[in-house]
Amino acid sequence: MPTLLDSFQLKGLQLKNRIVMPPMCQYSVMAKDGKPNDWHYTHYTSRAVGGAGLIIMEMTDVDPDGRITDYDLGLWSDEQIPAFKRIVESCQAYGAKVGIQIAHAGRKAEDAEVPVSSSAIQFSEDYKQPRELTTDEVKEMVGKFESAFKRALEAGVDVIEIHAAHGYLIHQFQSPLTNKREDVYGQDRSLFGVEIVKAARRVMPESMPLIMRISAVEYADGGYDLPYSIELAKRFQEAGVDIFHVSSGGEGTKGPASAGPGYQLDLAKEIKGALNIPTIAVGRMEDIQLSDEAVREGKADLVAVGRGMLRNPYWANEASIALGGKPLTPKPVAAAYSIR
Ligand SMILES: Cc1cc2nc3c(=O)[nH]c(=O)nc-3n(C[C@H](O)[C@H](O)[C@H](O)COP(=O)(O)O)c2cc1C
């Protein structure tokens, strides 16, 4: 079995190690018009310098009204491409591969005048009442995802992640709690996600793997369980997903009973086992031994460390040193380790 520090190859994607920075919105730092700014540039470049094998840029929306707040990133216009390209190229220059998470917040879009969703069901009393997308609008939405995928490719990303988790629009369509539609997208709750996967595959090079982030279980009363999400994931795999990034929840205000170290790791293991597909484990994986064991024991192929990398941009480098590997940082920083 490989270790956390071993390289990873899938199709044309080659990662120098199995350490992933997962998508994390920086929306409080006021991106304007969906464009990343100097904060985002520094934020992502620092984690590339810190040695992460793969950096997945934060939730980036296909429509202005698909943003959680107006400070989110977006790729609904060609004008947004250069600001992303600058960051992608900078991270790649330090040896990281770069992905981007493409999304729509649906009923969780807080600044949209009237948010849209699969059905007109409010997230909570604190959120706006959404309206149900018409069947034609759902088809148009698939087109918006396709255009955003093309723009991400123009920005030079190595991989694309579709956000089908955390109670956002794709998740809203796939959950029986939020999809009460009577058209084809209600008869088959996976259809919207499947069409988005197919749209990605239409525009992506064959050699580029496609990642999908899913919530493997819901925590709300009556929410779906793991056998349900495994069936969903099979449909997405058939449509062209190569890697699942396994998270949970977000459909309501309840979370897991306990969110301790590795709290979602078994979900990644189950999906990997059921579908025989690579997975990324995420969720309190910052304990270096736990991360390494997850890969060594074949529970996941890659490990994402979110808050741990927010606290310490050089987490990957620290993990490498702790596991007996080489410094992952460029020479001027690596020199700091030779004086021990
Ligand atoms: C500040 C912050 C922003 C986040 N933004 C996103 C996001 O844009 N997309 C997403 O799928 N998850 C997002 N997440 C969830 C993380 O990707 C990750 O799944 C979660 O923090 C659990 O991993 P951790 O315990 O290593 O932090 C965010 C988390 C944090 C802390």
Side-chain angles (χ1 to χ4, degrees):
M1 280 293 181
T3 77
L4 186 68
L5 303 182
D6 283 334
S7 62
F8 173 80
Q9 169 110 39
L10 187 67
K11 295 185 166 174
L13 178 75
Q14 170 100 38
L15 305 180
K16 64 183 177 188
N17 58 48
R18 287 155 186 260
I19 301 169
V20 179
M21 179 189 190
M24 286 182 287
C25 281
Q26 301 295 299
Y27 45 80
S28 56
V29 192
M30 304 206 182
K32 285 213 180 72
D33 305 322
K35 291 179 193 162
N37 57 32
D38 281 353
W39 165 267
H40 301 86
Y41 178 85
T42 308
H43 167 70
Y44 288 114
T45 303
S46 305
R47 277 70 193 179
V49 169
L54 174 63
I55 292 172
I56 305 176
M57 289 181 70
E58 69 206 75
M59 175 157 171
T60 297
D61 301 298
V62 303
D63 187 272
D65 280 349
R67 290 175 288 181
I68 304 172
T69 76
D70 286 352
Y71 303 135
D72 281 8
L73 302 188
L75 270 175
W76 60 82
S77 154
D78 288 352
E79 282 174 22
Q80 292 158 327
I81 297 171
F84 283 91
K85 198 173 167 64
R86 174 174 172 248
I87 295 174
V88 170
E89 286 175 353
S90 170
C91 292
Q92 288 167 340
Y94 289 107
K97 294 292 159 76
V98 185
I100 188 164
Q101 187 186 54
I102 303 294
H104 189 296
R107 68 177 186 158
K108 288 170 85 173
E110 296 172 25
D111 291 340
E113 210 168 302
V114 182
V116 296
S117 185
S118 42
S119 297
I121 303 170
Q122 228 174 334
F123 178 72
S124 77
E125 282 184 1
D126 298 333
Y127 281 72
K128 290 180 187 154
Q129 172 67 44
R131 70 171 182 83
E132 178 172 316
L133 286 164
T134 65
T135 307
D136 282 347
E137 285 174 329
V138 179
K139 292 184 202 303
E140 279 167 32
M141 189 63 81
V142 174
K144 289 181 185 180
F145 271 87
E146 182 165 340
S147 300
F149 296 142
K150 280 191 202 153
R151 294 188 184 106
L153 295 172
E154 273 187 53
V157 297
D158 300 289
V159 64
I160 285 176
E161 175 169 296
I162 297 173
H163 198 351
H166 299 173
Y168 297 115
L169 188 61
I170 301 176
H171 185 169
Q172 288 158 33
F173 271 83
Q174 67 207 21
S175 171
L177 295 172
T178 40
N179 183 346
K180 309 280 185 197
R181 301 175 69 91
E182 288 179 357
D183 65 358
V184 283
Y185 294 100
Q187 286 147 16
D188 174 1
R189 292 193 175 97
S190 68
L191 184 60
F192 181 54
V194 163
E195 288 186 353
I196 289 171
V197 171
K198 287 185 179 164
R201 285 270 60 124
R202 265 198 300 279
V203 299
M204 286 167 68
E206 187 55 39
S207 60
M208 184 184 283
L210 176 62
I211 305 174
M212 186 180 237
R213 190 170 235 208
I214 53 165
S215 285
V217 292
E218 294 186 320
Y219 299 109
D221 295 338
Y224 65 68
D225 56 10
L226 185 61
Y228 181 94
S229 65
I230 286 175
E231 289 311 309
L232 271 179
K234 278 185 188 158
R235 296 284 317 276
F236 298 141
Q237 182 183 25
E238 281 161 19
V241 169
D242 301 292
I243 302 175
F244 282 101
H245 193 168
V246 183
S247 191
S248 66
E251 76 292 344
T253 48
K254 265 195 201 166
S258 140
Y263 68 99
Q264 295 173 145
L265 178 56
D266 281 344
L267 297 173
K269 177 182 160 229
E270 292 297 328
I271 288 186
K272 182 175 167 58
L275 276 70
N276 191 22
I277 194 166
T279 55
I280 308 175
V282 66
R284 296 286 318 278
M285 293 298 296
E286 67 272 12
D287 181 280
I288 294 166
Q289 297 301 334
L290 175 69
S291 270
D292 190 42
E293 272 166 32
V295 175
R296 280 179 189 275
E297 292 172 6
K299 291 181 177 169
D301 299 78
L302 303 168
V303 173
V305 174
R307 286 163 293 180
M309 273 200 213
L310 286 185
R311 288 191 292 270
N312 177 5
Y314 291 5
W315 185 92
N317 187 55
E318 299 284 332
S320 180
I321 304 291
L323 294 170
K326 291 184 185 149
L328 296 174
T329 47
K331 268 188 189 162
V333 184
Y337 291 90
S338 62
I339 55 172
R340 278 185 178 169

Short mmCIF file of all heavy atoms in Angstrom, two decimals, residues 226-265:
data_model
loop_
_atom_site.label_atom_id
_atom_site.label_comp_id
_atom_site.label_asym_id
_atom_site.label_seq_id
_atom_site.Cartn_x
_atom_site.Cartn_y
_atom_site.Cartn_z
N LEU A 226 -26.14 6.07 3.75
CA LEU A 226 -25.01 5.67 2.90
C LEU A 226 -25.43 4.77 1.73
O LEU A 226 -24.98 5.01 0.60
CB LEU A 226 -23.93 5.01 3.77
CG LEU A 226 -22.64 4.65 3.06
CD1 LEU A 226 -21.95 5.87 2.46
CD2 LEU A 226 -21.68 3.92 4.01
N PRO A 227 -26.28 3.74 1.93
CA PRO A 227 -26.69 2.94 0.77
C PRO A 227 -27.30 3.80 -0.34
O PRO A 227 -27.07 3.57 -1.53
CB PRO A 227 -27.73 1.97 1.36
CG PRO A 227 -27.35 1.84 2.80
CD PRO A 227 -26.80 3.19 3.20
N TYR A 228 -28.05 4.84 0.04
CA TYR A 228 -28.65 5.75 -0.95
C TYR A 228 -27.55 6.51 -1.70
O TYR A 228 -27.57 6.59 -2.93
CB TYR A 228 -29.59 6.73 -0.24
CG TYR A 228 -30.29 7.72 -1.15
CD1 TYR A 228 -31.56 7.47 -1.66
CD2 TYR A 228 -29.69 8.95 -1.48
CE1 TYR A 228 -32.21 8.39 -2.48
CE2 TYR A 228 -30.33 9.88 -2.31
CZ TYR A 228 -31.59 9.59 -2.79
OH TYR A 228 -32.23 10.51 -3.61
N SER A 229 -26.56 7.03 -0.94
CA SER A 229 -25.53 7.82 -1.63
C SER A 229 -24.62 6.93 -2.46
O SER A 229 -24.07 7.38 -3.47
CB SER A 229 -24.73 8.68 -0.64
OG SER A 229 -23.99 7.90 0.23
N ILE A 230 -24.48 5.67 -2.07
CA ILE A 230 -23.68 4.76 -2.91
C ILE A 230 -24.37 4.56 -4.26
O ILE A 230 -23.72 4.57 -5.32
CB ILE A 230 -23.43 3.42 -2.17
CG1 ILE A 230 -22.39 3.63 -1.06
CG2 ILE A 230 -22.98 2.31 -3.13
CD1 ILE A 230 -22.13 2.44 -0.17
N GLU A 231 -25.69 4.41 -4.24
CA GLU A 231 -26.42 4.28 -5.51
C GLU A 231 -26.28 5.54 -6.36
O GLU A 231 -26.08 5.46 -7.57
CB GLU A 231 -27.92 3.96 -5.26
CG GLU A 231 -28.17 2.56 -4.73
CD GLU A 231 -27.46 1.47 -5.56
OE1 GLU A 231 -27.61 1.47 -6.79
OE2 GLU A 231 -26.73 0.66 -4.95
N LEU A 232 -26.38 6.70 -5.70
CA LEU A 232 -26.18 7.98 -6.42
C LEU A 232 -24.79 8.02 -7.05
O LEU A 232 -24.62 8.35 -8.23
CB LEU A 232 -26.23 9.15 -5.43
CG LEU A 232 -27.53 9.83 -5.08
CD1 LEU A 232 -27.24 10.93 -4.05
CD2 LEU A 232 -28.19 10.44 -6.30
N ALA A 233 -23.80 7.68 -6.21
CA ALA A 233 -22.42 7.76 -6.67
C ALA A 233 -22.18 6.82 -7.86
O ALA A 233 -21.42 7.16 -8.77
CB ALA A 233 -21.47 7.44 -5.52
N LYS A 234 -22.87 5.68 -7.86
CA LYS A 234 -22.72 4.75 -9.01
C LYS A 234 -23.18 5.42 -10.30
O LYS A 234 -22.56 5.29 -11.35
CB LYS A 234 -23.56 3.49 -8.77
CG LYS A 234 -22.87 2.47 -7.90
CD LYS A 234 -23.69 1.19 -7.80
CE LYS A 234 -23.05 0.30 -6.74
NZ LYS A 234 -23.99 -0.69 -6.18
N ARG A 235 -24.31 6.17 -10.21
CA ARG A 235 -24.80 6.87 -11.40
C ARG A 235 -23.78 7.92 -11.86
O ARG A 235 -23.52 8.08 -13.05
CB ARG A 235 -26.14 7.58 -11.10
CG ARG A 235 -27.30 6.66 -10.75
CD ARG A 235 -27.88 5.95 -11.97
NE ARG A 235 -28.04 6.82 -13.13
CZ ARG A 235 -29.08 7.62 -13.37
NH1 ARG A 235 -30.07 7.67 -12.51
NH2 ARG A 235 -29.14 8.36 -14.46
N PHE A 236 -23.19 8.61 -10.89
CA PHE A 236 -22.22 9.66 -11.25
C PHE A 236 -20.94 9.03 -11.82
O PHE A 236 -20.34 9.57 -12.74
CB PHE A 236 -21.90 10.53 -10.03
CG PHE A 236 -23.10 11.28 -9.48
CD1 PHE A 236 -23.28 11.44 -8.11
CD2 PHE A 236 -24.05 11.82 -10.34
CE1 PHE A 236 -24.38 12.13 -7.61
CE2 PHE A 236 -25.15 12.52 -9.84
CZ PHE A 236 -25.32 12.67 -8.48
N GLN A 237 -20.57 7.90 -11.26
CA GLN A 237 -19.38 7.20 -11.78
C GLN A 237 -19.63 6.77 -13.23
O GLN A 237 -18.77 6.98 -14.10
CB GLN A 237 -19.08 5.98 -10.91
CG GLN A 237 -17.83 5.22 -11.33
CD GLN A 237 -17.58 3.98 -10.49
OE1 GLN A 237 -18.51 3.40 -9.91
NE2 GLN A 237 -16.33 3.55 -10.42
N GLU A 238 -20.79 6.19 -13.48
CA GLU A 238 -21.11 5.76 -14.85
C GLU A 238 -21.08 6.94 -15.82
O GLU A 238 -20.69 6.82 -16.97
CB GLU A 238 -22.52 5.16 -14.91
CG GLU A 238 -22.60 3.72 -14.42
CD GLU A 238 -24.03 3.35 -14.04
OE1 GLU A 238 -25.00 4.02 -14.48
OE2 GLU A 238 -24.18 2.37 -13.28
N ALA A 239 -21.48 8.12 -15.31
CA ALA A 239 -21.53 9.32 -16.16
C ALA A 239 -20.14 9.93 -16.38
O ALA A 239 -19.97 10.76 -17.28
CB ALA A 239 -22.46 10.36 -15.55
N GLY A 240 -19.16 9.56 -15.54
CA GLY A 240 -17.80 10.06 -15.82
C GLY A 240 -17.00 10.56 -14.64
O GLY A 240 -15.93 11.13 -14.84
N VAL A 241 -17.49 10.37 -13.41
CA VAL A 241 -16.68 10.80 -12.26
C VAL A 241 -15.56 9.79 -12.01
O VAL A 241 -15.78 8.57 -12.08
CB VAL A 241 -17.57 10.93 -10.98
CG1 VAL A 241 -16.71 11.12 -9.74
CG2 VAL A 241 -18.54 12.10 -11.14
N ASP A 242 -14.36 10.31 -11.71
CA ASP A 242 -13.20 9.43 -11.49
C ASP A 242 -12.79 9.33 -10.03
O ASP A 242 -12.08 8.40 -9.65
CB ASP A 242 -11.99 9.97 -12.27
CG ASP A 242 -12.25 10.05 -13.76
OD1 ASP A 242 -12.37 8.99 -14.38
OD2 ASP A 242 -12.35 11.17 -14.28
N ILE A 243 -13.13 10.35 -9.23
CA ILE A 243 -12.70 10.39 -7.82
C ILE A 243 -13.85 10.99 -7.01
O ILE A 243 -14.42 12.02 -7.43
CB ILE A 243 -11.46 11.31 -7.64
CG1 ILE A 243 -10.28 10.86 -8.50
CG2 ILE A 243 -11.06 11.39 -6.16
CD1 ILE A 243 -9.07 11.81 -8.46
N PHE A 244 -14.18 10.39 -5.87
CA PHE A 244 -15.16 11.01 -4.97
C PHE A 244 -14.45 11.63 -3.78
O PHE A 244 -13.58 10.99 -3.17
CB PHE A 244 -16.22 10.01 -4.51
CG PHE A 244 -17.25 9.75 -5.57
CD1 PHE A 244 -17.20 8.60 -6.35
CD2 PHE A 244 -18.24 10.68 -5.82
CE1 PHE A 244 -18.12 8.39 -7.36
CE2 PHE A 244 -19.17 10.48 -6.83
CZ PHE A 244 -19.11 9.33 -7.59
N HIS A 245 -14.84 12.86 -3.47
CA HIS A 245 -14.32 13.60 -2.32
C HIS A 245 -15.45 13.52 -1.29
O HIS A 245 -16.51 14.13 -1.45
CB HIS A 245 -14.06 15.04 -2.77
CG HIS A 245 -13.26 15.86 -1.83
ND1 HIS A 245 -12.73 17.08 -2.16
CD2 HIS A 245 -12.89 15.65 -0.56
CE1 HIS A 245 -12.07 17.58 -1.14
NE2 HIS A 245 -12.17 16.74 -0.14
N VAL A 246 -15.22 12.74 -0.24
CA VAL A 246 -16.35 12.27 0.57
C VAL A 246 -16.53 13.11 1.84
O VAL A 246 -15.74 13.02 2.78
CB VAL A 246 -16.19 10.78 0.91
CG1 VAL A 246 -17.42 10.30 1.68
CG2 VAL A 246 -15.99 9.96 -0.35
N SER A 247 -17.61 13.90 1.82
CA SER A 247 -17.97 14.72 2.96
C SER A 247 -19.35 14.28 3.44
O SER A 247 -19.82 13.18 3.07
CB SER A 247 -17.96 16.20 2.52
OG SER A 247 -18.05 17.06 3.63
N SER A 248 -20.01 15.10 4.23
CA SER A 248 -21.34 14.72 4.72
C SER A 248 -22.12 15.98 5.13
O SER A 248 -21.54 17.05 5.35
CB SER A 248 -21.24 13.76 5.90
OG SER A 248 -20.66 14.40 7.02
N GLY A 249 -23.45 15.81 5.20
CA GLY A 249 -24.31 16.84 5.77
C GLY A 249 -24.44 18.12 4.96
O GLY A 249 -24.13 18.16 3.77
N GLY A 250 -24.93 19.16 5.62
CA GLY A 250 -25.10 20.47 5.00
C GLY A 250 -26.53 20.71 4.51
O GLY A 250 -26.87 21.82 4.12
N GLU A 251 -27.36 19.65 4.56
CA GLU A 251 -28.73 19.80 4.06
C GLU A 251 -29.62 20.50 5.08
O GLU A 251 -30.70 20.97 4.74
CB GLU A 251 -29.31 18.42 3.70
CG GLU A 251 -29.74 17.54 4.87
CD GLU A 251 -28.59 17.05 5.75
OE1 GLU A 251 -27.43 17.13 5.31
OE2 GLU A 251 -28.86 16.61 6.88
N GLY A 252 -29.17 20.53 6.34
CA GLY A 252 -29.98 21.15 7.39
C GLY A 252 -29.06 21.65 8.48
O GLY A 252 -27.84 21.76 8.29
N THR A 253 -29.63 21.96 9.61
CA THR A 253 -28.82 22.58 10.67
C THR A 253 -28.14 21.55 11.57
O THR A 253 -27.25 21.89 12.33
CB THR A 253 -29.69 23.53 11.51
OG1 THR A 253 -30.89 22.83 11.87
CG2 THR A 253 -30.06 24.78 10.74
N LYS A 254 -28.57 20.27 11.47
CA LYS A 254 -27.94 19.23 12.31
C LYS A 254 -26.63 18.75 11.69
O LYS A 254 -26.54 18.60 10.48
CB LYS A 254 -28.85 18.00 12.37
CG LYS A 254 -29.77 17.95 13.56
CD LYS A 254 -30.31 16.52 13.65
CE LYS A 254 -31.59 16.45 14.44
NZ LYS A 254 -32.27 15.16 14.25
N GLY A 255 -25.65 18.43 12.55
CA GLY A 255 -24.40 17.85 12.07
C GLY A 255 -24.23 16.46 12.64
O GLY A 255 -25.16 15.91 13.25
N PRO A 256 -23.05 15.88 12.45
CA PRO A 256 -22.81 14.55 13.01
C PRO A 256 -22.81 14.58 14.54
O PRO A 256 -22.53 15.63 15.13
CB PRO A 256 -21.42 14.18 12.49
CG PRO A 256 -20.77 15.47 12.14
CD PRO A 256 -21.87 16.43 11.78
N ALA A 257 -23.11 13.45 15.15
CA ALA A 257 -23.15 13.38 16.61
C ALA A 257 -21.78 13.76 17.17
O ALA A 257 -21.69 14.44 18.18
CB ALA A 257 -23.55 11.98 17.05
N SER A 258 -20.73 13.32 16.48
CA SER A 258 -19.39 13.69 16.92
C SER A 258 -18.55 13.99 15.69
O SER A 258 -18.59 13.25 14.70
CB SER A 258 -18.78 12.52 17.71
OG SER A 258 -17.44 12.37 17.39
N ALA A 259 -17.82 15.10 15.74
CA ALA A 259 -16.97 15.47 14.60
C ALA A 259 -15.52 15.41 15.05
O ALA A 259 -14.75 16.35 14.89
CB ALA A 259 -17.35 16.84 14.06
N GLY A 260 -15.13 14.27 15.61
CA GLY A 260 -13.76 14.08 16.09
C GLY A 260 -12.83 13.72 14.94
O GLY A 260 -13.24 13.70 13.77
N PRO A 261 -11.55 13.41 15.25
CA PRO A 261 -10.58 13.07 14.21
C PRO A 261 -11.10 11.98 13.28
O PRO A 261 -11.64 10.97 13.73
CB PRO A 261 -9.38 12.58 15.03
CG PRO A 261 -9.49 13.31 16.33
CD PRO A 261 -10.97 13.42 16.60
N GLY A 262 -10.98 12.23 11.99
CA GLY A 262 -11.35 11.23 10.98
C GLY A 262 -12.84 10.88 10.95
O GLY A 262 -13.21 9.79 10.51
N TYR A 263 -13.70 11.81 11.32
CA TYR A 263 -15.13 11.46 11.48
C TYR A 263 -15.83 11.07 10.17
O TYR A 263 -16.91 10.49 10.23
CB TYR A 263 -15.90 12.58 12.20
CG TYR A 263 -16.04 13.88 11.43
CD1 TYR A 263 -17.21 14.18 10.74
CD2 TYR A 263 -15.02 14.82 11.40
CE1 TYR A 263 -17.35 15.37 10.03
CE2 TYR A 263 -15.15 16.00 10.71
CZ TYR A 263 -16.31 16.27 10.03
OH TYR A 263 -16.44 17.45 9.33
N GLN A 264 -15.21 11.39 9.03
CA GLN A 264 -15.86 11.00 7.76
C GLN A 264 -15.04 9.92 7.02
O GLN A 264 -15.39 9.53 5.91
CB GLN A 264 -16.03 12.23 6.86
CG GLN A 264 -16.97 13.25 7.46
CD GLN A 264 -17.07 14.57 6.70
OE1 GLN A 264 -18.13 15.16 6.64
NE2 GLN A 264 -15.98 15.05 6.14
N LEU A 265 -13.98 9.46 7.66
CA LEU A 265 -13.05 8.54 6.98
C LEU A 265 -13.72 7.23 6.57
O LEU A 265 -13.51 6.72 5.46
CB LEU A 265 -11.84 8.28 7.90
CG LEU A 265 -10.77 7.33 7.41
CD1 LEU A 265 -10.21 7.75 6.05
CD2 LEU A 265 -9.63 7.24 8.42
#
